[in-house]
Amino acid sequence: MSSSASGNITKWHSKDGQFHRQVSSFRDFVEAKPGARFPAEANRYHLYVSYACPWAHRTLIVRKLKGLESIIGVSVVHYLLGPNGWEFASPDDVPGATLDEVNGAKYIRELYFKANPDYSARFTVPVLWDKKQHTIVSNESSEIIRMLNTEFDEFVEPEYRGITFYPEELREKIDEINGWIYDTVNNGVYKAGFASAQDAYETNCRGVFASLDRIEGILAENEFLLGSRLTEADLRLFTTIVRFDPVYHGHFKCNIKQIGTGYPNILRWTREIYQLPGIKETVNMEHIKKHYYMSHTQINPLQIVPVSNGPDLDKPVAKPASRPY
């Protein structure tokens, strides 16, 4: 999720009313091999995230499930995206947020300019920061989660070594399902919500629900998207679905159906992932709702935040799984 120097989200669409997401600018990779530009080391790298952002949320989940909390630190920005972009805040003022104890920055944008003084694009989270080279390794969530998935196994406790959410035998299928889910669901809700023309909105909204119908069918037959094993594809989708009813259904006008009442298999799947050890604490619904409803004033000018948090995700599932990966 991003902010630009102008802070004007309405400039993100083209003349046809379509929303276009920026391609990430920093695409280096931490590697567990000799001679790597960014070698895997304990306590060298730091994550900057927003609890509100579904892309950053992915990295928090993988960090948790891979046992990396003592290996890679994290800083959390304020939920409100203001004219200067993402801002750090004291947890005394904004519970859940943190100050930047690594670089002493007030805003995420300062990290981008520290890494590249000529940077002119949007200031996005997540950011994976190298504390030794004082620069950004990556701001692409899909690549950060793959680094966390494999490159730090040497440093984690034995129980986490070898856990992978991108197993060799399923990579082709994971890449394929990630492709259409990203375009039509993860990014699809944004393309509907930030559309500035009726045709663009309707096309993208209907695309969201066509894919949700397809996912519902998959989960009617499988515990997870690719069978009985939890993979990266599930984690990438989960961060969108957990925001769907409380935010995207109303705020982004993706209102043909709700997850809680219209998609029983997706709801079961969401509960099962949410109830895995450690996942619940990565979901901060106060940050999520306040970010969207209070930051996007061109959509919600009075900044009124709805009461509902969506379906009860703590309701026990019929087939709980302690570690399906």
Side-chain angles (χ1 to χ4, degrees):
M1 193 171 293
S2 65
S3 60
S4 65
S6 69
N8 188 348
I9 216 167
T10 62
K11 291 184 178 179
W12 295 3
H13 58 74
S14 61
K15 291 181 180 179
D16 63 359
Q18 293 280 0
F19 165 74
H20 298 283
R21 184 171 297 280
Q22 172 185 278
V23 176
S24 299
S25 303
F26 294 87
R27 306 291 288 271
D28 284 305
F29 209 89
V30 174
E31 296 176 287
K33 68 179 185 181
R37 181 186 175 193
F38 295 101
E41 295 178 14
N43 302 309
R44 172 170 175 165
Y45 300 98
H46 193 79
L47 269 173
Y48 289 96
V49 302
S50 163
Y51 278 129
C53 172
W55 321 102
H57 191 180
R58 300 171 174 182
T59 67
L60 287 174
I61 289 176
V62 177
R63 175 178 175 264
K64 168 66 70 174
L65 295 181
K66 284 290 296 185
L68 290 166
E69 291 174 294
S70 65
I71 308 300
I72 298 173
V74 67
S75 297
V76 181
V77 295
H78 196 303
Y79 56 77
L80 191 64
L81 183 62
N84 291 314
W86 296 109
E87 181 178 6
F88 296 99
S90 166
D92 294 331
D93 298 326
V94 182
T98 68
L99 297 173
D100 177 13
E101 303 291 349
V102 174
N103 288 289
K106 185 176 181 181
Y107 297 99
I108 283 286
R109 62 189 293 151
E110 296 171 35
L111 305 178
Y112 278 81
F113 289 134
K114 188 171 184 176
N116 178 5
D118 297 321
Y119 187 78
S120 60
R122 296 173 185 151
F123 311 108
T124 64
V125 290
V127 166
L128 183 63
W129 181 265
D130 180 357
K131 294 188 287 184
K132 283 192 175 179
Q133 297 189 43
H134 308 289
T135 194
I136 295 172
V137 178
S138 179
N139 65 341
E140 172 49 55
S141 66
S142 65
E143 294 170 5
I144 293 173
I145 64 174
R146 292 199 178 164
M147 297 178 220
L148 303 185
N149 183 59
T150 58
E151 302 305 309
F152 294 90
D153 268 16
E154 176 185 352
F155 309 104
V156 299
E157 294 297 320
E159 64 182 292
Y160 297 104
R161 292 175 194 162
I163 291 174
T164 179
F165 301 102
Y166 191 55
E168 185 76 35
E169 68 274 16
L170 292 176
R171 287 182 180 181
E172 185 176 345
K173 291 181 179 180
I174 290 172
D175 290 343
E176 188 274 331
I177 202 168
N178 280 348
W180 61 265
I181 287 179
Y182 167 78
D183 183 53
T184 60
V185 182
N186 299 137
N187 201 37
V189 293
Y190 283 86
K191 291 193 289 186
F194 289 150
S196 62
Q198 186 69 30
D199 287 348
Y201 156 69
E202 289 192 18
T203 297
N204 288 297
C205 181
R206 295 186 190 285
V208 168
F209 285 93
S211 287
L212 289 178
D213 290 346
R214 183 178 177 184
I215 292 165
E216 177 71 6
I218 292 171
L219 293 176
E221 299 180 356
N222 297 315
E223 184 176 6
F224 299 106
L225 289 173
L226 293 173
S228 60
R229 182 169 182 172
L230 182 78
T231 71
E232 172 192 289
D234 297 286
L235 303 181
R236 286 171 48 128
L237 177 60
F238 172 80
T239 62
T240 295
I241 297 301
V242 80
R243 290 161 172 77
F244 197 91
D245 285 7
V247 175
Y248 304 142
H249 179 269
H251 188 61
F252 280 173
K253 306 179 185 68
C254 294
N255 60 359
I256 295 175
K257 286 192 277 188
Q258 290 182 298
I259 301 300
T261 57
Y263 292 103
N265 292 299
I266 296 178
L267 179 60
R268 182 271 309 160
W269 167 92
T270 306
R271 284 174 168 151
E272 189 164 344
I273 295 175
Y274 182 81
Q275 292 171 30
L276 290 173
I279 298 296
K280 181 178 180 178
E281 63 195 69
T282 71
V283 180
N284 189 317
M285 197 57 70
E286 180 179 10
H287 278 230
I288 289 169
K289 294 198 307 180
K290 285 185 174 179
H291 163 70
Y292 285 96
Y293 288 104
M294 296 178 70
S295 298
H296 304 157
T297 53
Q298 80 283 5
I299 297 176
N300 187 36
L302 296 181
Q303 298 179 298
I304 294 172
V305 180
V307 172
S308 175
N309 288 336
D312 178 10
L313 298 182
D314 284 306
K315 184 176 180 180
V317 289
K319 186 182 179 183
S322 59
R323 183 180 275 187
Y325 47 86

